[in-house]
Amino acid sequence: MVRNIFIMAIAIALASMAAMNALTSITKRKQADTSLNVPIFFNGIAAETVAANSIRDIITNNDNKLPQQLPDSLSALALKSFQSEPTTSSSIAILAIPQNSGKRRTLMEQAHKFSKRDQLVTGWLINDAIEKNDVTKLLAYYDISMRASSRTSNIILPLMVNALSNDLTIQPLYDILVNKPTWVRKFWNLASTSKESAKNAAILRSQLFEIGEDSLLYNDPALIRTLVSNNNYEEAIALWSRVKNNEIEKKKADIQAVSNYNFKKQPQLPPLDWQIYSNGEYGASISNNGLFLSAIQNSGGLFARQLIYLKPQLYQVKLDMNQAISSNHSLKIELICAEPIKDKPRTISIPISRKSVSRSLSNQGDICRYYWLNIRGRAGNGNGLDANIKSISISQNDKT
């Protein structure tokens, strides 16, 4: 299973190795060739550079795969480099290629201890981890490679995010991300928009949550939007409750379905908090403990919405405004089933005209549990619409 997830990883890793060294290899090749052609200047580092450039050329011409055999001249050069400078990681890796699997792995691991930046060595170890179905080691090598070279992250991070679609990667990724590597923000920017990995990304994010954490390391708003857009409502609400870390609000969830029902706070994680809409003709904003709506004449639409959960029971919907709405305008509350089910309950529409509105409703006979709570309106002829909603709540009916 792991092999299927990462089967393309080694090809991409080795291709990146060639690409990342392309710009510097030409200059290094000329300098190293000069050193080797003048015996007095010969040293193991120069020999390693020439050998490394040669093996990269061979890999590039072999569809980015390691060869089974090496030219005798290349093996001799790598050996000469190692004898002169025993810490030359690329030379050790070249000498390891023709060996049997056990000896090759030992040599590659030794070479990796000398240099975490050697892409040839890291690429082989990544492939070895894939062959052994060792997710933990594989992700660890990915981490090391990205720490050693920031340019590598553009290639490896999409692989890690795609891998997160498999449950087996959650714990190994947690073990890496809990240490907040330098690439953590890039990872979450990608993971938060991945449809395939969003559910496991939410689990991983919840596990990594810490009180007083630096929330800028994560992209919670985008992750919640991705979960909601994919109808992963349960996972979205679980993540929202975790990162909000508000025990009072979580306890109220059983009796008060609307988050920030009195508009005391700015929305942070829509659409589980208020999602506000605005354009040049109409729009909404939250300020001074109220939802302010405004529209020029003959304009309007959806001003605000929120995804809510309603378990089957009787509810009381209440809305309070600063003043009544003129009959020239229309304003209403909508409750629309958000779930992709065949037999959706009918949309509930509650007109708003008076300063206070109260209405009972029941979803006891419905299979839908997640609803869009919409505030929709339109200004008529004459003066535009200006309204201030002070609160809107959906609470358990006392009669239940």
Side-chain angles (χ1 to χ4, degrees), residues 64-327:
N64 294 315
K65 298 176 182 177
L66 282 172
Q68 296 298 318
Q69 299 294 329
L70 296 177
D72 292 340
S73 59
L74 179 55
S75 298
L77 183 60
L79 178 59
K80 189 174 181 180
S81 168
F82 173 73
Q83 290 171 338
S84 175
E85 190 67 49
T87 60
T88 50
S89 57
S90 292
S91 296
I92 297 173
I94 292 171
L95 293 172
I97 291 173
Q99 306 298 321
N100 62 54
S101 59
K103 184 178 291 187
R104 186 187 306 123
R105 182 177 298 110
T106 300
L107 287 171
M108 289 294 186
E109 290 174 347
Q110 290 298 320
H112 193 252
K113 292 179 180 179
F114 289 130
S115 175
K116 300 294 190 290
R117 295 180 180 275
D118 194 312
Q119 293 296 322
L120 172 61
V121 176
T122 304
W124 188 90
L125 290 171
I126 286 172
N127 185 57
D128 186 56
I130 295 171
E131 295 291 340
K132 295 191 298 181
N133 289 337
D134 194 332
V135 180
T136 301
K137 276 193 175 181
L138 176 63
L139 294 177
Y141 287 133
Y142 277 168
D143 176 35
I144 291 170
S145 184
M146 287 189 290
R147 288 176 186 267
S149 172
S150 59
R151 291 173 295 180
T152 311
S153 63
N154 294 330
I155 295 172
I156 291 182
L157 281 178
L159 295 174
M160 298 182 79
V161 170
N162 289 339
L164 186 54
S165 62
N166 188 295
D167 297 348
L168 294 175
T169 62
I170 295 176
Q171 186 59 47
L173 276 171
Y174 172 85
D175 294 338
I176 293 173
L177 291 170
V178 73
N179 295 316
K180 299 178 178 59
T182 55
W183 44 267
V184 63
R185 290 185 66 178
K186 289 183 178 180
F187 173 85
W188 284 109
N189 284 338
L190 284 177
S192 63
T193 57
S194 171
K195 177 180 178 180
E196 294 76 15
S197 301
K199 291 177 69 173
N200 283 344
I203 295 172
L204 179 60
R205 172 65 182 103
S206 294
Q207 292 177 351
L208 289 166
F209 173 79
E210 297 176 316
I211 297 176
E213 67 182 11
D214 181 4
S215 60
L216 294 179
L217 294 177
Y218 307 95
N219 198 346
D220 295 329
L223 180 52
I224 283 180
R225 288 195 300 269
T226 300
L227 290 166
V228 171
S229 66
N230 293 323
N231 304 315
N232 301 135
Y233 302 135
E234 183 177 350
E235 291 80 5
I237 289 177
L239 176 61
W240 176 84
S241 298
R242 179 66 168 148
V243 300
K244 291 273 287 191
N245 193 36
N246 189 331
E247 293 298 330
I248 295 177
E249 193 153 6
K250 282 190 285 186
K251 288 178 182 177
K252 283 185 175 181
D254 286 337
I255 59 173
Q256 172 52 260
V258 183
S259 171
N260 195 17
Y261 72 99
N262 52 9
F263 308 105
K264 288 187 177 181
K265 297 171 289 186
Q266 288 297 318
Q268 294 181 341
L269 298 172
L272 298 183
D273 197 350
W274 289 107
Q275 185 170 1
I276 305 300
Y277 295 90
S278 183
N279 61 24
E281 296 185 346
Y282 72 94
S285 63
I286 292 178
S287 62
N288 299 322
N289 297 338
L291 175 66
F292 290 82
L293 313 177
S294 180
I296 63 175
Q297 64 176 4
N298 297 318
S299 70
L302 181 62
F303 286 97
R305 71 171 184 170
Q306 184 178 141
L307 183 71
I308 62 174
Y309 172 80
L310 297 177
K311 62 184 180 181
Q313 62 181 34
L314 294 174
Y315 289 94
Q316 194 73 22
V317 181
K318 293 183 179 180
L319 179 141
D320 291 311
M321 305 182 66
N322 273 3
Q323 59 185 25
I325 298 296
S326 168
S327 59

Side-chain angles (χ1 to χ4, degrees), residues 346-362:
R346 64 180 179 84
T347 297
I348 296 173
S349 182
I350 304 174
I352 304 171
S353 57
R354 298 185 301 273
K355 187 176 178 180
S356 295
V357 176
S358 180
R359 175 171 166 177
S360 298
L361 64 87
S362 171

